[in-house]
């Protein structure tokens, strides 16, 4: 299959955005704003805390759900009075989790999730120079195994297989000052990669099962993208000669880039008070490994234009997650969640490819037990993105565009069922 390199920082940078990493991967995960680690149980414990699988019922269990994701428009209010909007986007993705019954103290699990993914499109000249359109899809297959150390402690280990696909389109136009534009470059890009990592977990529960502690870790994965980069560029970008401004050169050249999908550490505590369980999760994402974006192209001219390393200098970020689970009756369970999510993107490198900012996350959901084997559920989540002041570098004019990123955020709805046998 032909592969096209994701030439622009638009796509690969977006993969790592705090707002576009998707830790909410199950009915309970969405309902609790991913505060579902220490108290994880049932099929989705395979993803959130596989060490907790050893404390599940001695039965096989699976969960199947469908999640609808709506990304709101992002607004940029330019200080010169202009306003730019990205387009709104919608996705539907399925997720699956499975945990096994006990096998002499061992449990096995498997999850199919979508840890990152989005689509963002801009139609104004300034933002489309780096982010006219991009779409990203990732799917992760994560088999895990857990061992029961004793009645209070479980440990687990898993392998992560991540498949990434993306489309990117950028358009560089230079204003001539009379309402017309000179095309500098245009790129339509399509690519994929397949990479591996690992995850581990340890869990503790008290003798009376009212206190649970957990630590989970998902390793860094280096995403290695390679293939062909195609498009065109204005010869003026190479020669600097105004006489070449009308000359356009098409290209198709091999290229490659490696970028890190950062490691994530979760530390969690859950405490049960009668029919109500409270959980707090400290979520640390190690973005410091994303120092720069450095493409390498075989064609020297293309490499001269697009191969210059772009500094990123992202910082490690924290997310603080809170969840409440209440057993309303023998059959009905209600859940509420809240999280505060810090952005890893520093002011010095923020751009239209990643208009990220700190976020408030609110969520809730219910699960209803139909019988001894099947439960159904609904959950929803709303992300409110904070306004952020930004000074964005314009590669066309080589000046800075000053203004504010506003609105944005996302809404998630999920429906599904779990079944034990």
């Amino acid at each position: 299959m032909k592969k096209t390199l994701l030439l622009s920082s638009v796509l690969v940078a977006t993969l790592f955005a705090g707002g576009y990493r998707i830790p909410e991967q199950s009915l309970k995960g969405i309902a609790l704003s991913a505060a579902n680690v220490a108290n994880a149980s049932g099929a989705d414990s395979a993803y959130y805390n596989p060490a907790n699988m050893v404390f599940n019922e001695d039965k096989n269990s699976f969960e199947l759900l469908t999640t609808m994701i709506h990304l709101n428009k992002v607004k940029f209010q330019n200080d010169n009075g202009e306003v730019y909007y990205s387009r709104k986007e919608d996705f539907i993705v399925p997720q699956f989790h499975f945990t096994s019954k006990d096998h002499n103290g061992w449990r096995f699990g498997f999850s199919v999730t979508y840890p990152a993914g989005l689509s963002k499109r801009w139609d104004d000249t300034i933002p489309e120079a780096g982010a006219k359109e991009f779409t990203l899809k990732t799917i992760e297959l994560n088999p895990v195994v857990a061992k029961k150390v004793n009645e209070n402690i479980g440990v687990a280990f898993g392998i992560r297989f991540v498949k990434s696909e993306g489309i990117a389109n950028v358009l560089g136009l230079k204003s001539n000052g009379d309402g017309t534009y000179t095309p500098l470059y245009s790129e339509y890009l399509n690519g994929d990669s397949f990479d591996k990592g690992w995850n581990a977990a340890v869990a503790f529960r008290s003798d009376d099962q009212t206190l649970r502690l957990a630590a989970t870790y998902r390793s860094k994965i280096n995403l290695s993208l390679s293939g062909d980069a195609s498009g065109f560029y204005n010869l003026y970008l190479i020669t600097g000669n105004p006489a070449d401004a009308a000359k356009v050169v098409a290209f198709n050249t091999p290229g490659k880039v490696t970028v890190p999908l950062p490691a994530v550490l979760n530390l969690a505590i859950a405490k049960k008070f009668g029919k109500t369980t409270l959980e707090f999760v400290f979520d640390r994402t190690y973005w410091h490994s994303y120092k720069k974006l450095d493409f390498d192209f075989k064609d020297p001219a293309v490499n001269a234009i697009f191969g210059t390393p772009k500094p990123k200098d992202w910082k490690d970020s924290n997310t603080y997650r809170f969840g409440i689970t209440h057993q309303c009756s023998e059959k009905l369970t209600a859940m509420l969640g809240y999280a505060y999510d810090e952005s890893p993107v520093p002011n010095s490198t923020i751009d239209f490819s990643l208009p990220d900012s700190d976020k408030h996350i609110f969520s809730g959901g219910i699960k209803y037990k139909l019988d001894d084997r099947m439960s159904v559920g609904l959950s929803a989540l709303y992300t409110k993105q904070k306004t952020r002041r930004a000074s964005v570098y314009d590669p066309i004019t080589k000046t800075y565009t000053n203004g504010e990123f506003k609105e944005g955020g996302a809404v998630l709805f999920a429906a599904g069922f779990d079944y034990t046998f």
Side-chain angles (χ1 to χ4, degrees):
M1 180 178 67
K2 182 179 179 180
K3 294 185 292 184
T4 307
L5 183 65
L6 306 183
L7 179 61
S8 172
S9 62
V10 171
L11 199 55
V12 292
T14 301
L15 173 64
F16 303 127
Y20 305 125
R21 174 189 157 214
I22 308 175
E24 299 86 5
Q25 295 289 340
S26 72
L27 284 169
K28 290 185 292 184
I30 293 172
L32 295 166
S33 296
N36 182 41
V37 179
N39 196 44
S41 62
D44 68 345
S45 60
Y47 178 79
Y48 282 102
N49 181 6
N52 262 9
M53 293 192 302
V54 303
F55 303 134
N56 286 345
E57 289 184 274
D58 189 11
K59 297 180 180 180
N60 299 311
S61 178
F62 72 84
E63 175 177 303
L64 181 63
L65 69 148
T66 299
T67 302
M68 294 164 282
I69 303 174
H70 173 78
L71 301 180
N72 298 324
K73 294 180 180 180
V74 175
K75 175 183 178 180
F76 184 79
Q77 180 71 57
N78 195 325
D79 285 351
N80 68 6
E82 295 180 350
V83 178
Y84 318 132
Y85 286 97
S86 69
R87 299 187 193 180
K88 61 183 180 180
E89 309 290 347
D90 294 283
F91 308 90
I92 297 178
V93 295
Q95 290 116 327
F96 176 81
H97 306 281
F98 169 81
T99 58
S100 77
K101 61 184 180 181
D102 181 75
H103 295 277
N104 297 318
W106 293 88
R107 301 280 188 131
F108 303 93
F110 183 75
S111 291
V112 180
T113 61
Y114 298 81
L118 78 163
S119 181
K120 189 70 64 182
R121 290 176 287 178
W122 297 85
D123 297 313
D124 296 286
T125 302
I126 290 179
E128 71 180 359
K132 182 175 178 58
E133 177 187 355
F134 60 84
T135 298
L136 176 68
K137 300 176 182 179
T138 65
I139 182 170
E140 178 174 332
L141 308 181
N142 185 200
V144 292
V145 59
K147 172 63 175 176
K148 192 173 188 178
V149 178
N150 55 42
E151 292 301 316
N152 304 102
I153 297 175
V155 295
F157 182 81
I159 303 296
R160 305 172 61 197
F161 302 96
V162 178
K163 178 73 164 60
S164 302
E165 298 180 359
I167 296 172
N169 182 210
V170 294
L171 176 64
L173 300 174
K174 183 178 180 181
S175 173
N176 297 321
D178 58 0
T180 64
Y181 294 87
T182 298
L184 295 182
Y185 56 81
S186 179
E187 306 160 306
Y188 184 83
L189 312 157
N190 191 327
D192 59 20
S193 81
F194 181 79
D195 303 281
K196 299 180 290 296
W198 58 273
N199 64 299
V202 59
F204 166 84
R205 70 173 181 179
S206 62
D207 290 333
D208 62 3
Q209 301 184 26
T210 62
L211 176 66
R212 292 175 180 257
L213 305 173
T216 68
Y217 183 81
R218 304 184 80 81
S219 75
K220 180 182 76 171
I221 298 178
N222 285 321
L223 298 180
S224 53
L225 301 170
S226 63
D228 295 327
S230 61
F232 71 80
Y233 60 86
N234 193 300
L235 189 60
Y236 170 77
L237 297 176
I238 298 295
T239 65
N241 185 350
D244 292 329
K247 299 177 182 179
V248 173
V249 179
F251 67 84
N252 191 314
T253 182
K256 60 184 179 180
V257 64
T258 298
V259 290
L261 178 61
V264 179
L265 172 69
N266 283 334
L267 301 175
I269 180 172
K271 178 64 176 176
K272 187 175 182 180
F273 301 91
K275 296 183 178 181
T276 302
T277 301
L278 306 180
E279 177 161 352
F280 169 71
V281 178
F282 172 74
D283 181 322
R284 178 78 166 176
T285 306
Y286 294 96
W287 294 114
H288 69 268
S289 58
Y290 193 31
K291 293 179 170 53
K292 63 180 179 179
L293 185 65
D294 189 3
F295 290 91
D296 183 25
F297 301 97
K298 186 174 181 180
D299 186 315
V302 175
N303 201 55
I305 297 172
F306 302 109
T308 302
K310 300 177 182 179
K312 293 298 175 183
D313 299 323
W314 285 19
K315 59 183 180 180
D316 295 343
S317 63
N318 300 325
T319 303
Y320 308 93
R321 305 184 184 278
F322 303 87
I324 302 174
T325 302
H326 181 69
Q327 194 71 41
C328 302
S329 67
E330 183 181 349
K331 293 188 174 183
L332 181 64
T333 302
M335 296 159 285
L336 291 173
Y338 168 77
Y340 184 78
D341 185 24
E342 297 176 347
S343 171
V345 185
N347 291 331
S348 58
T349 61
I350 191 171
D351 56 28
F352 288 103
S353 71
L354 188 57
D356 197 37
S357 64
D358 294 351
K359 305 167 194 68
H360 294 282
I361 302 171
F362 307 91
S363 61
I366 58 171
K367 291 192 72 175
Y368 186 79
K369 190 173 183 179
L370 297 177
D371 54 39
D372 290 339
R373 293 193 173 195
M374 181 179 286
S375 296
V376 295
L378 298 170
S379 56
L381 178 146
Y382 170 66
T383 298
K384 180 176 176 56
Q385 200 160 320
K386 298 177 67 175
T387 296
R388 181 169 183 176
R389 184 75 187 169
S391 183
V392 183
Y393 182 72
D394 184 347
I396 304 299
T397 64
K398 301 189 184 306
T399 60
Y400 285 87
T401 300
N402 299 309
E404 290 183 335
F405 286 110
K406 301 179 178 181
E407 301 176 10
V411 179
L412 280 67
F413 292 100
F417 70 94
D418 57 66
Y419 187 81
T420 60
F421 57 99

